[in-house]
C-alpha cells in the first residue's frame, strides 16, 4: 500500500511538473509489486498556460480594479471621498429616509375599504329602522378604544339621525337605494 | 402631480449643472426624494380616483406603478455607475438625461387622464429607450435590437391612434374619468371587432403577447443595465396598464375577442418557460422569464374578474421588482466576467457568498415562493382562470412548475458547484451592488406584509 501511495504521489508530481512546465527531474519509478513504470513524458516542451484573458465576449475591456487603489472602495467612484459620500447618501436617503419613513407612512395609511364597509353597514341599519342604541353599539363594536371619548358624540348623532328618519316614509327599495348612494 | 413631475424634469438641469464628481450623488439623492414624495399617492381615500387636475389623476391602479417607476430611477443610476465610469463626462450626463426623460414620460403616461395624451406619452417613451439601447449597448446586435423594439411597438400602436380618434368621434371624449361611466355597449359589428383589435394590439405587443414577443429578448439582452431594468420593470407594465384601462370601454366584444389571445397567452407561458430551460445566455433567460410572467397578466386582464385584476396588478409590481433585481444580478456577473454565458461564471457561491444570498432571494421570488407578492399575484390569476375554465389549471400548474425549474436551474448553474479556474480572481462584491439588491428586495418583502396597496382598484 505504501508503495502504491508512493507511486500515486510520484504520478501526481510528474503530472504537476508536466502541466506547470517545471523542468522535472528525470526520475523513473518502477513498481516492485507490479510491472508499472512511471516516467516523465518524452515530449519536449511544456504545456502552455490556461487562457485567462482572451475568453471574454467583449475582449477590449480594461478592467480597473477599484480595490487596488482604494481597499475600502464601495464601488461608486475612483475618488475615495466621492465614493464614501455616495455610499452615505445612498444609505441615508435610500434606507433611512425612503424605506423607513415611507414604509411607516404606508403602514399607517387608513383602511378606507374597511371604513367604507362600516359606514355602509351603519347607513343600511339606519334606514332599516335600527334604534339609536343599536346604531351606537355598531360603532362601539368597531371602535372599542374610543368608547369614552366618542360615546356622547355617537349617541347624539344617532338620536338626531333617528328623529330625522322617523319623519321619512320609505319602502325597502328606497332604503336600499339611499344606503348605496350614501356610500 | 406637479410635485412629482416638476422635480423629475428638474433632474435634467441638475445633471448638467452639477460638478463632475457630484452628478451621481446629486441625481441619486433627488431621485430618492422624488420616490418618497410619490408614496403620498398611495393614500387613496376615494372609491374612484384622486383627481389632481384635468390632465393628471391617480387611482389604486396607477399609484403603485407610479411609485415603482419613481423608485426605479435611483436604482438605475446606481446600477449604471460602474459601466459608465470610463465614459466622458458629457456622455454620462446625456445618459442620465435620457433616463430622466424616460422617467418623466412614464410618470405622465401613468397619470394621464386623456387617452390621446396617454398615447403620445406611450410613444414618447420609445425614444429615450431606443437611444439608451442603441448608443450604450455592448454588442453590435444592439442596432438590430433597437430596430425590432421600435418597429414592433410602432406597428402595434399606429392602429391604436386611429381607433382612439374614431372613439373620440363616437363618444366626444377620451377622458378616463368619464369613460368609466360610459355604459353604452359597443354594437356587435365587424368594424367594432377591428376597433377592439386596433385598441388592444399595441398593448399586446408591449406586454408582450407570445407570438409578438420577438423584440423582447433582443432588446433586453442588448440594452445596458439601466435599459434592461426599465424595460423589464416598467415598460412591459405600460402594456398591462393600457389594457386594464381600455378594456372598460370595449365590452361586450372582449368576452369573445379575447379567446385567441387567451389561448396564445396560456400556451405561450408554457413555451417561453420551456425556452428558459434551454438558454445559455443569462440575460436571455431572464427576458424569456418576463414574457412568461406577462402572459399571466394578459390572461388575468382578459378574464376581467375582480380577482384577476387584483392578481394582474400585484403581479406587475412584483415582477417589476424581481425582474429588475435579476438583471442587476446578471449585470454584476457581466461586469466581472464580461460574458453573459451562464456556465462561464458558475460556482460563484464560494467566491461571493453574499451575492449568492441575493441570487437565492431573487430566484425564490421569481418562482413565486410564499409569502411573496409574486405568489399572491400568481395565485389570484390561477384561481380566477380556474374559475373561468377548469382546464386552464393544467397549463397554469405546468407553468408554475417550469418557472420553478428554470429559476432553480439559473440559481444552481450560477451559484453552485465548483467555480471555474478563470474566475478565481474576480473582485469581491461592492457595497453599491449589495445596496442595489437590498433596495430591490426590501420593498418586495415589505409589500408581502401589506399587499393591499398593490391589489388595484378592485380590492
Amino acid at each position: 500500500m505504501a508503495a502504491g501511495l508512493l507511486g500515486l504521489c510520484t504520478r501526481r508530481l510528474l503530472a504537476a511538473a508536466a502541466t506547470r512546465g517545471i523542468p522535472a527531474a528525470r526520475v523513473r519509478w518502477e513498481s516492485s509489486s507490479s510491472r508499472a513504470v512511471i516516467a516523465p513524458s518524452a515530449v519536449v516542451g511544456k504545456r502552455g498556460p490556461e487562457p485567462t484573458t482572451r475568453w471574454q465576449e467583449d475582449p477590449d475591456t480594461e478592467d480597473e480594479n477599484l480595490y487596488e487603489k482604494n481597499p475600502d472602495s464601495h464601488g461608486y467612484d475612483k475618488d475615495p471621498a466621492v465614493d464614501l459620500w455616495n455610499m452615505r447618501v445612498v444609505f441615508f436617503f435610500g434606507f433611512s429616509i425612503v424605506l423607513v419613513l415611507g414604509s411607516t407612512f404606508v403602514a399607517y395609511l387608513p383602511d378606507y375599504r374597511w371604513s367604507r364597509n362600516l359606514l355602509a353597514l351603519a347607513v343600511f341599519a339606519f334606514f332599516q329602522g335600527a334604534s339609536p342604541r343599536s346604531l351606537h353599539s355598531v360603532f362601539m363594536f368597531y371602535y372599542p378604544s374610543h368608547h369614552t371619548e366618542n360615546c356622547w358624540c355617537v349617541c347624539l348623532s344617532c338620536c338626531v339621525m333617528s328623529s330625522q328618519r322617523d319623519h321619512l316614509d320609505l319602502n325597502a327599495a328606497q332604503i336600499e337605494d339611499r344606503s348605496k348612494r350614501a356610500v | 402631480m406637479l410635485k412629482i413631475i416638476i422635480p423629475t424634469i428638474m433632474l435634467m438641469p441638475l445633471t448638467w449643472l452639477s460638478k463632475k464628481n457630484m452628478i451621481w450623488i446629486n441625481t441619486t439623492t433627488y431621485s430618492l426624494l422624488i420616490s418618497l414624495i410619490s408614496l403620498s399617492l398611495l393614500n387613496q381615500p376615494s372609491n374612484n380616483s384622486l383627481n389632481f387636475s384635468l390632465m393628471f389623476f391617480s387611482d389604486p391602479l396607477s399609484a403603485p406603478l407610479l411609485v415603482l417607476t419613481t423608485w426605479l430611477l435611483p436604482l438605475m443610476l446606481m446600477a449604471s455607475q460602474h459601466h459608465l465610469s470610463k465614459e466622458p463626462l458629457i456622455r454620462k450626463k446625456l445618459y442620465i438625461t435620457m433616463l430622466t426623460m424616460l422617467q418623466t414620460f412614464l410618470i405622465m403616461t401613468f397619470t394621464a387622464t386623456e387617452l390621446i395624451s396617454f398615447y403620445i406619452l406611450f410613444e414618447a417613451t420609445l425614444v429615450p429607450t431606443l437611444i439608451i439601447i442603441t448608443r450604450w449597448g455592448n454588442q453590435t446586435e444592439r442596432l438590430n435590437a433597437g430596430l425590432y423594439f421600435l418597429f414592433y411597438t410602432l406597428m402595434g400602436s399606429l392602429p391604436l391612434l386611429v381607433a382612439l380618434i374614431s372613439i373620440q368621434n363616437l363618444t366626444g371624449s377620451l377622458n378616463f374619468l368619464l369613460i368609466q361611466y360610459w355604459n353604452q355597449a359597443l354594437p356587435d359589428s365587424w368594424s367594432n371587432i377591428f376597433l377592439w383589435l386596433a385598441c388592444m394590439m399595441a398593448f399586446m405587443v408591449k406586454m408582450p403577447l407570445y407570438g409578438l414577443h420577438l423584440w423582447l429578448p433582443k432588446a433586453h439582452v442588448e440594452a445596458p443595465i439601466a435599459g434592461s431594468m426599465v424595460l423589464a420593470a416598467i415598460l412591459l407594465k405600460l402594456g398591462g396598464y393600457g389594457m386594464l384601462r381600455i378594456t372598460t370601454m370595449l365590452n361586450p366584444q372582449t368576452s369573445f375577442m379575447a379567446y385567441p389571445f387567451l389561448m396564445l397567452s396560456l400556451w405561450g407561458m408554457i413555451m417561453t418557460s420551456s425556452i428558459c430551460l434551454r438558454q445559455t445566455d443569462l440575460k436571455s433567460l431572464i427576458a424569456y422569464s418576463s414574457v412568461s410572467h406577462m402572459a399571466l397578466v394578459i390572461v388575468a386582464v382578459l378574464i376581467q374578474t375582480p380577482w384577476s385584476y387584483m392578481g394582474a396588478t400585484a403581479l406587475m409590481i412584483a415582477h417589476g421588482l424581481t425582474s429588475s433585481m435579476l438583471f442587476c444580478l446578471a449585470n454584476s456577473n457581466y461586469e466581472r466576467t464580461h460574458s453573459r454565458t451562464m456556465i462561464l461564471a458558475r460556482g460563484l457561491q464560494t467566491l461571493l457568498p453574499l451575492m449568492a444570498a441575493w441570487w437565492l432571494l431573487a430566484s425564490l421570488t421569481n418562482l413565486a415562493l410564499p409569502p411573496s407578492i409574486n405568489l399572491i399575484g400568481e395565485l389570484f390569476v390561477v384561481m380566477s382562470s380556474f374559475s373561468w375554465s377548469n382546464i386552464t389549471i393544467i397549463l397554469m400548474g405546468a407553468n408554475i412548475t417550469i418557472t420553478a425549474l428554470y429559476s432553480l436551474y439559473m440559481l444552481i448553474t450560477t451559484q453552485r458547484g465548483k467555480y471555474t479556474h478563470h474566475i478565481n480572481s474576480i473582485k469581491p462584491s461592492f457595497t453599491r451592488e449589495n445596496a442595489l439588491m437590498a433596495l430591490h428586495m426590501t420593498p418586495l418583502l415589505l409589500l408581502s406584509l401589506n399587499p393591499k396597496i398593490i391589489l388595484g382598484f378592485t380590492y
Side-chain angles (χ1 to χ4, degrees), chain A residues 55-58 61-63 65 67 74-76 82 86 89 93-95 98 102 105-106 109 112-113 116, chain B residues 21 29 32 39 43-45 47 71 81 86 334 337-339 341 422 427-432 453 459:
Chain A
W55 51 269
Q56 295 166 344
E57 279 179 9
D58 49 348
T61 56
E62 289 158 8
D63 273 339
N65 188 355
Y67 287 119
H74 297 289
Y76 292 98
V82 173
N86 203 334
V89 148
F93 287 101
F95 288 91
V98 179
F105 171 76
V106 169
L109 283 176
Y112 294 109
R113 184 188 183 215
R116 242 177 265 133
Chain B
N21 55 0
T29 307
L32 283 166
L39 286 172
N43 184 25
Q44 297 273 338
N47 214 3
W71 182 239
Q81 273 184 260
K86 291 190 184 48
Y334 184 79
T337 60
H338 292 284
S339 171
T341 310
H422 57 263
K427 300 181 279 294
S429 304
F430 294 113
T431 314
R432 175 181 62 84
I453 50 175
Y459 172 69

Side-chain angles (χ1 to χ4, degrees), chain A residues 1-131:
Chain A
M1 185 181 146
L5 279 174
L6 181 62
L8 186 66
C9 292
T10 312
R11 281 198 294 271
R12 283 187 172 219
L13 178 64
L14 286 173
T19 54
R20 290 190 189 128
I22 302 167
R26 293 280 156 189
V27 174
R28 182 187 166 83
W29 178 83
E30 287 180 20
S31 169
S32 56
S33 56
S34 68
R35 288 181 296 166
V37 172
I38 305 293
S41 169
V43 174
V44 178
K46 59 183 183 183
R47 201 165 88 188
E50 294 294 328
T52 53
T53 54
R54 303 305 292 177
W55 51 269
Q56 295 166 344
E57 279 179 9
D58 49 348
D60 57 313
T61 56
E62 289 158 8
D63 273 339
E64 187 186 1
N65 188 355
L66 288 171
Y67 287 119
E68 209 175 304
K69 294 206 175 104
N70 178 15
D72 295 327
S73 172
H74 297 289
Y76 292 98
D77 199 272
K78 285 181 298 200
D79 183 350
V82 173
D83 186 62
L84 182 66
W85 274 104
N86 203 334
M87 183 273 296
R88 285 176 177 169
V89 148
V90 164
F91 274 86
F92 179 69
F93 287 101
F95 288 91
S96 307
I97 299 289
V98 179
L99 282 178
V100 172
L101 296 183
S103 55
T104 311
F105 171 76
V106 169
Y108 281 98
L109 283 176
D111 188 352
Y112 294 109
R113 184 188 183 215
W114 174 87
S115 58
R116 242 177 265 133
N117 286 345
L118 176 61
L119 178 61
L121 184 73
V123 169
F124 192 73
F126 166 73
F127 282 109
Q128 286 287 347
S131 66

Side-chain angles (χ1 to χ4, degrees), chain B residues 202-217:
Chain B
F203 305 117
M204 297 285 190
V205 171
K206 201 75 179 176
M207 284 298 294
L209 176 70
Y210 179 73
L212 302 168
H213 69 286
L214 291 178
W215 65 269
L216 187 141

Side-chain angles (χ1 to χ4, degrees), chain B residues 269-338:
Chain B
M269 67 176 74
I270 305 285
M271 293 301 294
T272 47
S273 303
S274 307
I275 289 168
C276 285
L277 287 169
R278 299 291 299 155
Q279 290 299 310
T280 53
D281 184 331
L282 186 53
K283 279 182 92 169
S284 190
L285 190 153
I286 302 166
Y288 277 108
S289 152
S290 294
V291 180
S292 174
H293 283 98
M294 288 298 105
L296 276 167
V297 175
I298 294 175
V299 168
V301 172
L302 292 176
I303 287 175
Q304 291 187 298
T305 64
W307 274 23
S308 72
Y309 275 16
M310 283 198 270
T313 322
L315 200 51
M316 285 199 282
I317 304 297
H319 176 262
L321 288 166
T322 307
S323 189
S324 175
M325 184 172 176
L326 283 169
F327 276 115
C328 289
L329 288 165
N331 184 59
S332 73
N333 270 10
Y334 184 79
E335 283 177 356
R336 285 167 174 77
T337 60
H338 292 284

